[in-house]
Amino acid sequence: MARLKIEISVPETHVDAVVEALHSAGAGRVGAYARCSSVWRVTGNWQPLPGSQPYDGEVGVVRHGEECRVESVCDVEQARAVQQAVRAAHPYEEAVIHFLPLYEP
């Protein structure tokens, strides 16, 4: 079974909601453990383009702000449900959700 690492950038105010969405969709299973994830603070950079409705910042202005990076894992078959759950809980117009294949020898 193929596994994926999940990386999500989210404002600190919404970390708990995003982590709960991840786990409710089945992410975070590692062996005999459930609800596994990690969170740390990062600095994000973005420039809202014309037509966007930014959660934070102004159209055309480069913004640098504190965010959190949430990481977890899931099976490939769970990825679509995880993505949908995270997007529903995430405040950004364009949520940054990366699914990266894991090498497991």
Side-chain angles (χ1 to χ4, degrees), residues 19-75:
V19 169
E20 182 57 35
L22 268 173
H23 295 155
S24 293
R29 232 16 237 262
V30 178
Y33 294 84
R35 303 181 70 81
C36 299
S37 61
S38 60
V39 178
W40 65 89
R41 287 185 176 87
V42 298
T43 300
N45 307 288
W46 61 94
Q47 179 182 14
L49 298 174
S52 66
Q53 298 179 340
Y55 171 80
D56 187 10
E58 298 177 42
V59 172
V61 178
V62 175
R63 176 90 167 92
H64 312 281
E66 295 301 311
E67 296 180 300
C68 289
R69 172 69 51 92
V70 175
E71 289 191 0
S72 192
V73 294
C74 72
D75 296 335

